[in-house]
Amino acid sequence: MKGRNLKMVIGIVGLGLIGGSLAKAFSAAGARVMGYDAQPSTLQVAVDMGICHQILSMENAGRCDFIFLAVPVGAAESWLTEKAFKLGSPGACAKKPVIMDCCGVKRRICQVGFSLEKTSGIRFVSIHPMAGRADWGLKFSDEDLFRGAMCAVIPGEENRRDIALMSGVENVLAMAGFSRLRVMTPEEHDSVIALTSQLSHLVSSSFVKCDEGIREQAQVAGGSFRDMTRVAFLNENVWADLFLENRDNLLDRLDLLTVELQKYRRALEDNNRDTLTDLLARGREEKERLTVAAM
């Protein structure tokens, strides 16, 4: 059971799947949650349901211990640029909240956040929750979405050495349900995520379109087909931006995948069972290693 912390004040900008789930998790853990969403109807629902105890504004943001930006990269960058100097200036706020974006790519937002730390005085630590689901929006948010999940944490160089700050980050993420943290640089994160998330979504989106009669054929599909196509159900506007933000890393991974697929194609063209068996065996062995590494 999560420990309750009635003194913690959490601000959340963006109340979709991730932001709404954070709000529910922190509220269940006993924190006071102040939220904001660009859609007034979403914000009203969150308040009416008690997911957020109060609407977040610049007038009360200084009461927060942490502010999570659960919005796309462009919106997070705009929020930081517009609000940083007010939140970071001496005496402007009762507290100096730690601002944490939840964006799926890191180099651009971290460049902005790390720069504003130096010029405005804010405290900024970037995170990427490694949890989600195909559906999106507040309607599908869940207080247990992050229970037992891993969270990537991307601090600036000075914050990485700030034991008190990093301990606070670890504690607040534990309140949300995360059980594992991985400290990374923005470059490491974007390289890894190109393979572990973005390429998977791209392949799934491509695979589901590979035959015009797929809807009829899906009636006799097994679990492997469902697994392969699950993440093709995505928010195309969000994922297009993520792909383009990280296109250099994603192109590299796509090139490697193309090389691997060509090996299978040649083995099939040549009717070469030995090569095909070897390729399949190496794939199985790599999956076994990945399974162990993920434990």
Side-chain angles (χ1 to χ4, degrees):
M1 182 179 294
K2 303 184 185 82
R4 298 184 65 80
N5 190 333
L6 299 174
K7 296 182 180 180
M8 183 76 73
V9 182
I10 304 291
I12 300 176
V13 179
L15 297 170
L17 174 67
I18 299 300
S21 297
L22 285 171
K24 289 179 178 180
F26 284 126
S27 181
R32 181 166 184 81
V33 177
M34 300 195 292
Y36 173 80
D37 194 275
Q39 296 294 328
S41 58
T42 298
L43 180 57
Q44 191 60 53
V45 168
V47 173
D48 290 345
M49 293 179 63
I51 298 170
C52 295
H53 304 103
Q54 192 173 348
I55 295 174
L56 178 69
S57 67
M58 284 310 297
E59 284 66 40
N60 59 27
R63 294 168 51 196
C64 295
D65 297 284
F66 295 88
I67 297 177
F68 291 82
L69 306 182
V71 292
V73 174
E77 179 181 349
S78 296
W79 193 95
L80 281 170
T81 303
E82 293 170 8
K83 317 295 187 187
F85 284 90
K86 182 171 182 179
L87 289 172
S89 59
C93 298
K95 301 177 183 177
K96 190 177 287 188
V98 179
I99 302 171
M100 305 170 73
D101 81 278
C102 303
C103 299
V105 287
K106 291 306 180 188
R107 284 173 293 177
R108 174 179 161 190
I109 192 63
C110 284
Q111 183 179 24
V112 173
F114 296 163
S115 175
L116 285 169
E117 272 196 309
K118 297 176 181 177
T119 57
S120 73
I122 63 168
R123 296 189 296 170
F124 174 81
V125 176
S126 189
I127 67 167
H128 186 183
M130 296 291 112
R133 54 181 50 164
D135 299 298
W136 58 90
L138 179 64
K139 177 181 178 181
F140 298 100
S141 60
D142 183 348
E143 72 173 77
D144 291 323
L145 182 65
F146 311 114
R147 184 181 294 276
M150 195 272 278
C151 188
V153 179
I154 302 93
E157 284 301 319
E158 291 187 12
N159 284 342
R160 187 184 289 249
R161 297 188 293 269
D162 188 329
I163 296 174
L165 175 62
M166 295 305 293
S167 177
V169 168
E170 181 178 1
N171 289 339
V172 76
L173 292 176
M175 281 180 63
F178 294 101
S179 63
R180 295 169 293 149
L181 305 183
R182 170 79 181 275
V183 178
M184 312 176 76
T185 66
E187 293 75 21
E188 288 170 342
H189 172 276
D190 287 359
S191 177
V192 168
I193 213 70
L195 173 65
T196 59
S197 176
Q198 294 180 346
L199 186 63
S200 302
H201 284 77
L202 189 150
V203 169
S204 182
S205 181
S206 302
F207 176 77
V208 80
K209 301 191 296 283
C210 71
D211 190 289
E212 292 181 357
I214 198 167
R215 283 186 292 275
E216 289 73 27
Q217 296 173 31
Q219 296 175 10
V220 293
S224 57
F225 181 85
R226 291 190 295 272
D227 291 344
M228 187 71 179
T229 59
R230 181 181 64 83
V231 293
F233 188 79
L234 47 71
N235 185 325
E236 61 272 13
N237 293 308
V238 170
W239 281 93
D241 288 342
L242 290 171
F243 287 170
L244 291 172
E245 279 286 329
N246 201 28
R247 61 186 179 274
D248 55 340
N249 286 311
L250 185 53
L251 282 169
D252 287 344
R253 299 297 186 177
L254 189 56
D255 286 343
L256 291 172
L257 175 63
T258 301
V259 169
E260 285 300 312
L261 289 174
Q262 287 296 332
K263 294 177 183 178
Y264 287 88
R265 181 179 180 84
R266 285 193 296 271
L268 291 168
E269 286 179 337
D270 297 340
N271 197 27
N272 191 327
R273 189 180 190 281
D274 289 341
T275 298
L276 187 58
T277 302
D278 181 62
L279 289 169
L280 293 169
R282 286 160 56 194
R284 173 183 53 77
E285 291 163 0
E286 187 58 34
K287 170 59 178 175
E288 290 173 351
R289 285 190 288 268
L290 288 172
T291 300
V292 172
M295 291 180 177

